[in-house]
């Protein structure tokens, strides 16, 4: 499992993980400001970093100034995770989006000092010129050197240490990567579904011995330059990783995390357990008593998603006899059974150095790493801890599980899920087998042309694939595949199709073209090592842990060159895959089929059961005991809403503004005109890879056809061309390139009525294959077939299922998109391309295919004729000068092949009145939680952009909104988003138990800012943290794309410098002024949009008739 891969468009996974704070953000719904994925066949370096969120990407929290691209890049690395806290924290660590990048620069060429209180300028330690020559430190600081090695694939020197006193193990990788990484991981196998590991993971970062404040985690976010800061709960482990390019900042993060893990205050503070886990809440004796808690509400949101329910049922059915048979995240029905004593004892048992595995990576000093660790570990003694993950014994015969999910009304809800699951081995695979199984997984499902995937998608039996194959992060690997949106009578047909297709593949084998495509795709990804916004060092850590945690070799799992060479040699001589298929899938009796059926009454049953539990508890209380619950509720809220004193906050190490460069860094960009094309080139070292984007003017598409554009993009990539079949085309693309994609992009442009709107064709290849890349691009754009009715219908059903899942599990992004669409033309177009309007269009389109297929094909051809043209095009190329020169001819040939002008193109400019009617809207779906949005356009109320707005917005997310919406309100996330291009300021919440209370908290932001009092340290942290967002770490392809965005959105370096200076000069007075500006968000013109349950909508309409809510029922 060291080197297995997953294509970027995989949508679900069986492994369920929970994060301390959201990792990715998608601030705007649908296609608004969408940046397309790099490839149709993007692979990343480990299972943990390879799943596309698709449906679930919307369920990860949004945060200010982060573009969907960054979200999707991060999604490919940290997929289908449920996350802990607020959005603001999330994006900070996961990704900096285009909006942030456009404002400032991607550079990290500075080393700020530590703290306003102790300013010491620190430079990063230079990595050795040749890691192979690096010697172990003379002073090992209480460690013994167990192993010394070198991993050529990542040019990294490896030292494996063991702490003599405690037995703690350390993997130390040294190389020239400035993005330094650290992580401490503990095996934390739960015995039940009370969510104890998850609640503890939330709680340990709420204050520690050395940092005795409420939220050290949040304080780090405010004033850190981290490139990753989070924590994750797996089914059997808990990880606490950090990363930063700045040496002192990195060491600050390591220090705070180590103290949090080994000396948290939560084990002595029951209030933290109540806040993060669960408690009874009662505001007054005559009011309703409820369960409340961050994890409790988070998991209610998770359990509202049928995809999550399917994943849980599959894992627990495959592993009924070990820790994977329970939910480490917590079952809302079981969480209230957890006691504080059990919580405390769990920490005492598992959170000990003897149970830890620690990881360092980057260009910092090895001896200093050991010194830091020993300062924490030396006070502990070795302890025998049984955290071994038991092996699940094989079933002697297949099993079946039939269960239900909460369904809404309408025909769309009368659909079932069916998924077939296998346990593949009694432990982790050896390296070569892991690689072979990874190839097999890719051959079966890795692209739309893969035979098992293709058979299911083209069967007409369901709407979208679920399962998506190999999962190899746990002790025993599994394989899962199925369909959702299946009619109940077709469930046996789906099972038979899976069985028969696998048998047919085993009998016929794979074509050499399919194998060549898979080999090239995987090799390209391994050598490119492009982990997007996710730090490379942490991707390697997660890969290493998948062996290390189970007594495997943490070093060998990082290698791929020799195992790959051996496997390729075997494939040349023998049939590697048929024996694997027979052993692991056909003859495997450890097989579980999950049938998940809709139940329209289940939601009410669950609500009634929850209320009955609370009522039963309340009935057993005396009046005095009820008063105590009220008093405890009041005391908890008081503690939650009382900020730490400046004196207390001074314990947190902070960086100093004076060390931050005053000048914004630029990206090398040459702009020229080549015929009718604007050409941007970026001379950046890319290891002989060409990253190419070709943009065509989306304004050419008639507005009535705009909702069809996303389906047109998918159809262009799915039906083959006039020259070759879809399978042949897909396999040739995989065998010769890094892949390419096609998708729309839209954004407002500040200070202009214009809308930046393009069709983006984005691809990559080695320099030598640039000709093939562009030949295939041209073939697709000019000769793709669009007339396969059955394929197109399946694409529509898949898209509809994905959108429905997104509305239900990521309603905050849907609400944000609706608010945008009421405000701006770009927002309206984005709503047509990817918002709720797109979902309604898909429902109509699904019926139109049967009644007017010729008309649909004609519309698809109209889009191609209008938009595929040279006029108004932009080309963006990123590579070193030599590669750019060598590939210029291939690029020119592609451009010359395009028609000069589109035919039937729209000629009228988009009207400024092209917006949705402004209303307060409640979108109803079956859910146990709410997603609440409210917003207004600040530019329309007279505000002129000032860099201080970025600082203020960042601070709001880690103070007022964090405290009121999340900590006190119990939501999983609450945050604000300021789109500096359109002027739209939005508040959004995520998995929120409240609706009207949250709106009131949004409105309270105005007074919070007007009355704010900031000391120098607090202001400094806010500024430094904002600069960390602006000066984000980026890989070469991201730099080139950021420069493209700046060009499209007309953001000049002079303006970026101005905003930078304004950020650095932000004062308390700016906060108070912005409070006045935000009056617009509670003025009559401001609008509310929320995704809620039907019952929540009824209650809100009854309590606030003045808001005149419009109810839109979706599911």
């Amino acid at each position: 499992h060291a080197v297995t891969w997953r294509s970027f468009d995989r949508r679900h996974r069986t492994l369920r993980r929970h994060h301390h704070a959201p990792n990715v953000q998608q601030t705007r719904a649908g296609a608004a400001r969408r940046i397309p994925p790099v490839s149709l066949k993007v692979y990343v370096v480990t299972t943990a970093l390879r799943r596309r969120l698709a449906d679930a990407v919307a369920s990860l929290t949004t945060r200010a100034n982060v573009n969907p691209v960054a979200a999707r890049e991060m999604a490919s690395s940290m997929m289908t995770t449920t996350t802990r806290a607020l959005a603001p924290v999330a994006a900070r660590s996961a990704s900096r989006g285009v909006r942030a990048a456009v404002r400032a620069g991607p550079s990290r060429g500075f080393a700020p000092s530590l703290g306003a209180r102790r300013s010491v300028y620190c430079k990063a330690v230079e990595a050795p010129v040749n890691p192979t020559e690096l010697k172990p430190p003379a002073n090992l600081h209480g460690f013994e050197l167990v192993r010394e090695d070198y991993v050529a694939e990542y040019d990294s020197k490896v030292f494996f240490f063991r702490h003599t006193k405690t037995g703690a193990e350390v993997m130390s990788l040294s190389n020239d990567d400035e993005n330094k990484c650290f992580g401490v991981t503990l095996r934390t196998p739960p015995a039940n579904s009370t969510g104890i590991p998850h609640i503890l993971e939330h709680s340990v970062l709420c204050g520690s011995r050395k940092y005795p404040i409420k939220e050290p985690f949040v304080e780090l976010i405010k004033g850190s330059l981290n490139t990753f800061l989070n924590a994750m709960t797996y089914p059997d482990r808990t990880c606490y990783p950090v990363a930063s390019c700045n040496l002192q900042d990195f060491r600050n993060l390591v220090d705070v995390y180590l103290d949090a893990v080994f000396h948290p205050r939560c084990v002595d503070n029951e209030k933290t357990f109540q806040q993060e886990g669960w408690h009874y809440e009662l505001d007054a004796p005559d009011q309703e008593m409820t369960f409340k808690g961050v994890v409790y509400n988070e998991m209610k949101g998770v359990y509202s998603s049928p995809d999550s329910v399917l994943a849980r049922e599959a894992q627990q059915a495959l592993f009924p006899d070990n820790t994977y048979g329970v939910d480490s995240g917590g079952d809302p029905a079981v969480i209230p059974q957890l006691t504080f004593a059990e919580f405390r004892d769990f920490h005492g048992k598992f959170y000990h150095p003897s149970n830890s595995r620690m990881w360092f990576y980057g260009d910092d000093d090895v001896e200093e790493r050991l010194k830091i660790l020993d300062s924490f570990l030396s006070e502990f003694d070795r302890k025998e801890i049984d955290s071994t993950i038991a092996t699940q014994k094989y079933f002697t015969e297949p099993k079946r599980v039939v269960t239900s999910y909460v369904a809404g009304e309408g025909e769309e809800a009368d659909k079932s899920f069916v998924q077939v699951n296998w346990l593949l081995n009694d432990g982790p695979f050896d390296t070569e087998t892991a690689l072979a199984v990874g190839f097999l997984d890719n051959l079966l499902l890795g692209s739309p042309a893969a035979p098992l995937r293709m058979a299911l998608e083209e069967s007409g039996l369901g709407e979208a694939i679920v399962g998506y194959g190999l999962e190899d992060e746990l002790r025993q690997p599994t394989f899962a595949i199925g369909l959702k949106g299946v009619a109940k009578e077709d469930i046996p047909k789906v099972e038979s199709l899976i069985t028969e297709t696998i048998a047919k593949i085993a009998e016929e084998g794979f074509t050499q073209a399919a194998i060549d495509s898979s080999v090239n795709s995987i090799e390209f990804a391994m050598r490119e090592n492009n982990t997007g916004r996710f730090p490379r060092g942490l991707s390697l850590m997660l890969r290493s842990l998948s062996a290390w945690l189970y007594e495997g070799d943490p070093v060998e799992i990082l290698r791929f060159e020799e195992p790959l060479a051996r496997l390729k040699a075997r494939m040349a001589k023998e049939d590697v895959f048929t024996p694997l298929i027979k052993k692991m899938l056909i003859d495997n009796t450890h097989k579980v089929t999950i049938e998940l059926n809709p139940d329209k009454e289940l939601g009410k049953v669950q609500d009634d059961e929850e209320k009955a539990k609370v009522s039963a508890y309340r009935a057993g209380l005396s009046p005095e005991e009820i008063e105590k619950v009220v008093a405890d509720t009041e005391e908890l809220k008081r503690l939650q809403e009382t900020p730490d004193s400046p004196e207390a906050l001074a314990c947190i190490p902070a960086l100093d503004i004076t060390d931050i460069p005053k000048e914004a860094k630029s990206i090398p960009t040459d702009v020229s005109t080549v015929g009718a094309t604007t050409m941007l080139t970026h001379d950046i070292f890319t290891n002989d890879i060409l990253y190419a984007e070709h943009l065509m003017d989306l304004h050419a598409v008639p507005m009535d056809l705009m909702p069809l554009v996303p389906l047109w993009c998918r159809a262009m990539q799915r039906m083959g061309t006039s020259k070759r079949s879809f399978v042949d085309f897909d396999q040739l693309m995989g065998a010769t390139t890094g892949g390419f994609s096609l998708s729309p992009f839209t954004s407002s442009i500040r200070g202009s009525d214009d809308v930046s709107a393009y069709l983006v064709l984005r691809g990559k290849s080695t320099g030598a294959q640039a000709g093939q890349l562009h030949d295939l691009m041209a073939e697709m754009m000019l000769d793709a077939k669009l007339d396969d009715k059955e394929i197109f219908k399946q694409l529509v059903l898949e898209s509809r299922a994905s959108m429905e899942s997104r509305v239900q599990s990521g309603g905050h992004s849907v609400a944000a998109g609706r608010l945008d669409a009421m405000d701006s033309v770009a927002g309206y177009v984005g709503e047509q391309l990817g918002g709720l309007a797109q979902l309604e269009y898909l429902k109509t389109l699904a019926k139109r295919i049967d009644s007017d297929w010729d008309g649909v094909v004609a519309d698809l051809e109209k889009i191609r004729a209008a938009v595929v043209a040279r006029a108004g095009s932009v080309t963006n190329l990123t590579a070193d000068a030599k590669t750019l020169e060598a590939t210029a001819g291939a690029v020119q040939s592609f451009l010359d092949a395009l028609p000069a002008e589109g035919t039937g193109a729209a000629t009228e400019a988009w009207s400024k009145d092209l917006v949705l009617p402004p209303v307060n809207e409640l979108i109803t779906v079956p859910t146990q939680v709410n997603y609440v949005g409210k917003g207004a356009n600040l530019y329309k109320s007279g505000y002129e952009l000032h860099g201080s707005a970025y600082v203020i917005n960042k601070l709001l997310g880690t103070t007022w909104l964090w405290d009121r919406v999340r900590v006190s309100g119990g939501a999983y996330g609450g945050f604000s988003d300021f789109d500096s291009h359109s002027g739209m300021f939005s508040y959004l919440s995520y998995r929120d138990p409240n609706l009207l209370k949250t709106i009131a908290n949004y409105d309270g932001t105005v007074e919070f800012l007007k009355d704010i009092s900031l000391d120098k340290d607090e202001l400094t942290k806010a500024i430094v943290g904002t600069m960390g967002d602006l000066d984000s770490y980026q890989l070469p392809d991201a730099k080139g794309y950021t420069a493209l965005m700046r060009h499209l959105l007309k953001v000049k370096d002079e303006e970026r410098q101005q905003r930078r200076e304004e950020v650095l000069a932000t004062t308390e007075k700016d906060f108070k002024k912005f409070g006045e500006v935000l009056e617009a968000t509670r003025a009559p013109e401001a609008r509310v949009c929320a995704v809620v349950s039907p019952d929540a909508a009824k209650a809100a309409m009854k309590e606030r008739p003045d808001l005149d809510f419009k109810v839109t029922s979706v599911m």
Side-chain angles (χ1 to χ4, degrees), residues 443-457:
L443 286 162
L444 290 172
L445 294 166
S447 82
L452 181 55
R453 177 172 169 180
M454 198 169 177
L456 286 167
E457 289 184 339

Side-chain angles (χ1 to χ4, degrees), residues 227-415:
T227 56
F228 190 88
L229 185 68
N230 219 318
M232 297 96 81
T233 301
Y234 287 72
D236 59 4
R237 78 198 78 150
T238 309
C239 299
Y240 295 90
V242 298
S244 179
C245 292
N246 177 268
L247 179 62
Q248 190 58 60
D249 185 51
F250 175 65
R251 289 177 176 164
N252 293 346
L253 299 175
V254 172
D255 193 73
V256 173
Y257 262 48
L258 284 170
D259 201 60
V261 168
F262 295 119
H263 304 292
R265 292 201 306 166
C266 65
V267 295
D268 298 314
N269 181 4
E270 191 169 359
K271 295 297 184 185
T272 300
F273 166 75
Q274 293 171 350
Q275 170 184 294
E276 300 299 326
W278 76 277
H279 64 276
Y280 292 104
E281 181 158 297
L282 183 62
D283 291 324
D286 60 345
Q287 293 189 12
E288 182 183 12
M289 183 184 290
T290 59
F291 288 129
K292 187 71 73 70
V294 175
V295 168
Y296 180 77
N297 286 318
E298 173 189 347
M299 297 311 297
K300 286 182 73 174
V302 171
Y303 276 54
S304 294
S305 164
D307 296 280
S308 296
V309 173
L310 179 68
R312 179 195 75 219
E313 294 291 344
Q315 180 179 299
Q316 294 181 359
L318 281 172
F319 297 98
D321 304 319
N322 69 3
T323 192
Y324 304 147
V326 300
D327 191 341
S328 65
D331 182 337
V334 182
I335 288 173
Q337 296 175 14
L338 180 63
T339 68
F340 179 62
E342 292 169 330
F343 168 84
R344 183 176 52 213
D345 291 345
F346 193 89
H347 181 276
K349 179 176 181 180
F350 294 116
Y351 277 63
H352 188 280
S354 300
N355 188 43
S356 68
R357 289 159 177 81
M358 303 190 195
W359 172 276
F360 273 103
Y361 167 98
D363 64 1
D364 56 311
D365 181 62
V366 175
E367 182 178 346
E368 188 65 25
R369 294 173 176 179
L370 301 181
K371 183 179 178 182
I372 291 169
L373 291 179
D374 186 58
S375 69
F376 283 92
L377 304 182
S378 60
E379 65 180 277
F380 292 90
D381 294 315
R382 188 184 294 263
K383 181 180 177 181
E384 292 300 322
I385 300 169
D386 183 10
S387 62
T388 304
I389 311 304
T391 299
Q392 172 65 49
K393 294 182 179 179
Y394 274 104
F395 299 160
T396 56
E397 59 183 14
K399 297 186 178 182
R400 185 179 194 86
V401 174
V402 180
T403 187
S404 303
Y405 69 91
V406 177
E409 300 296 329
E411 61 180 271
E412 294 86 358
D414 294 328
K415 300 290 186 179

Side-chain angles (χ1 to χ4, degrees), residues 38 61 146 171 178 327 352 361 409 442 503 538 715 852 1052:
V38 172
T61 313
V146 178
M171 276 277 285
E178 65 170 340
D327 191 341
H352 188 280
Y361 167 98
E409 300 296 329
N442 180 258
L538 293 184
D852 183 26
K1052 305 295 184 184

Side-chain angles (χ1 to χ4, degrees), residues 28 108 165 222 355 361 421 482 613 668 681 812 880 893 903 1025 1030 1052 1064:
R28 300 299 178 194
R108 180 75 80 194
K165 192 172 182 221
K222 290 179 185 177
N355 188 43
Y361 167 98
N421 311 268
K613 290 178 184 177
T681 56
H812 63 292
D880 60 71
S893 295
T903 57
L1030 300 183
K1052 305 295 184 184
L1064 292 170

